[in-house]
């Protein structure tokens, strides 16, 4: 359990660092969408490699028919989160961006847990 808490803290620490890096990339490229595309492309490359190393690179046959439509929206939400964080970082700075987005995460987590969603 201690290791999981440490991983959660490390993940939290990575969030503002990632946003700062993406914000710098946005400044260099002149577009939050292009910076996000590069970010996601690097992420996809890492995930392909991880799946190849794990040896699991195929989907179950019924994955498309058995998975609810809303479950596929994670990628779209990920892009939304990434682009908005890049834009907010330039206007609000690192601390405010992280605190405000964390407030949204906490409130949403409370609602999801309360209603067992």
């Amino acid at each position: 359990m201690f290791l999981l808490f440490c991983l959660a803290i490390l993940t939290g620490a990575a969030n503002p660092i990632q946003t700062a890096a993406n914000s710098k990339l946005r400044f260099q490229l002149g577009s939050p969408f292009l910076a996000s595309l590069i970010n996601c492309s690097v992420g996809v490359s890492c995930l392909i490699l991880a799946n190849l190393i794990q040896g699991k690179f195929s989907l179950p046959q019924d994955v498309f028919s058995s998975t609810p439509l809303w479950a596929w929206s994670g990628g779209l939400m990920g892009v939304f989160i990434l682009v908005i964080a890049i834009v907010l970082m330039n206007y609000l700075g690192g601390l405010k961006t992280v605190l405000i987005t964390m407030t949204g995460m906490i409130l949403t987590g409370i609602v999801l847990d309360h209603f067992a969603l």
Side-chain angles (χ1 to χ4, degrees):
M1 187 63 85
F2 178 73
L3 180 61
L4 295 177
F5 282 107
C6 290
L7 286 173
I9 289 172
L10 182 63
T11 300
N15 193 341
I17 295 168
Q18 177 202 28
T19 304
N22 289 332
S23 214
K24 179 65 173 176
L25 192 58
R26 174 202 181 199
F27 177 75
Q28 293 298 117
L29 299 171
S31 167
F33 300 107
L34 189 54
S36 297
L37 178 64
I38 291 171
N39 174 287
C40 290
S41 298
V42 171
V44 165
S45 300
C46 291
L47 290 170
I48 289 171
L49 182 61
N51 278 291
L52 288 173
I53 290 170
Q54 186 183 24
K56 291 189 174 189
F57 207 79
S58 61
L59 298 173
Q61 290 181 349
D62 65 340
V63 70
F64 294 106
S65 61
S66 66
T67 304
L69 189 59
W70 68 267
W72 297 99
S73 66
L76 180 60
M77 284 186 260
V79 169
F80 174 77
I81 292 164
L82 179 61
V83 171
I84 296 302
I86 289 171
V87 172
L88 289 178
M89 185 72 132
N90 287 338
Y91 292 102
L92 300 178
L95 181 63
K96 287 179 187 173
T97 298
V98 170
L99 287 177
I100 293 169
T101 56
M102 276 181 36
T103 301
M105 288 179 207
I106 291 167
L107 293 174
T108 303
I110 289 169
V111 170
L112 292 175
D113 285 353
H114 179 74
F115 293 106
L117 299 174

